[in-house]
Amino acid sequence: MTYEEIFETAKSLFAKGDATGFDGDFAIQVNITGEGEGAFYIAYKNGTLDVAPYEYHDRDAILFATAENFLKIADGSLGAVAAFFSGKLKVEGSTDKALELERMITYMKKKAKAESKAESKPASPANKKGKKK
């Protein structure tokens, strides 16, 4: 994958989610290593999520990972903590703020699952009129 493809994939993963109501505040720079090498940032400030293809100089932390591993973290199929302890993710700076990103990903997944479940739930039958007492 090229850097542009990696960034667009990451951005679309975050755009699909709804972070409304998430209680957090962070600015994380993601440094992709290996194929498609490059940097972008993910910031959640004052209830607004922003993903942009730039370095973030006032960041809380920098994450270092291959594109494959970061995209798995972003889609929720690989936990950031597991990735960190297995050496698939390196963190420079505030690990607490880096964990906020994982918390937000988990929050968005749970919210999407709950909304999907609510949408697929069949409507309850209307009360029948004229019931005998």
Side-chain angles (χ1 to χ4, degrees), residues 107-119:
Y107 174 86
M108 290 190 308
K109 276 186 77 170
K110 285 181 181 176
K111 192 171 184 180
K113 188 174 182 180
E115 288 171 359
S116 175
K117 196 173 189 180
E119 288 174 4

Side-chain angles (χ1 to χ4, degrees), residues 24 38 77-78 82:
S77 63
L78 174 62

Side-chain angles (χ1 to χ4, degrees), residues 26-31 39-45 50 52 54-62:
F26 59 83
I28 306 294
Q29 180 173 310
V30 178
N31 285 10
F40 58 91
Y41 73 84
I42 303 164
Y44 188 77
K45 301 272 184 188
D50 190 23
Y54 309 108
E55 290 186 5
Y56 198 104
H57 296 286
D58 192 22
R59 62 191 171 248
D60 298 308
I62 303 175

Side-chain angles (χ1 to χ4, degrees), residues 3-95:
Y3 167 78
E4 291 79 12
E5 292 169 327
I6 295 162
F7 171 72
E8 288 302 323
T9 302
K11 186 174 181 176
S12 70
L13 286 169
F14 286 99
K16 286 179 189 174
D18 180 4
T20 306
F22 176 71
D23 181 27
D25 188 45
F26 59 83
I28 306 294
Q29 180 173 310
V30 178
N31 285 10
I32 299 298
T33 59
E35 184 182 348
E37 184 176 296
F40 58 91
Y41 73 84
I42 303 164
Y44 188 77
K45 301 272 184 188
N46 302 316
T48 302
L49 179 62
D50 190 23
V51 181
Y54 309 108
E55 290 186 5
Y56 198 104
H57 296 286
D58 192 22
R59 62 191 171 248
D60 298 308
I62 303 175
L63 305 182
F64 298 88
T66 63
E68 178 184 6
N69 289 328
F70 180 75
L71 294 175
K72 285 180 180 179
I73 292 167
D75 75 11
S77 63
L78 174 62
V81 173
F84 178 80
F85 283 113
S86 66
K88 295 177 181 178
L89 173 68
K90 293 183 177 137
V91 178
E92 183 179 290
S94 172
T95 53

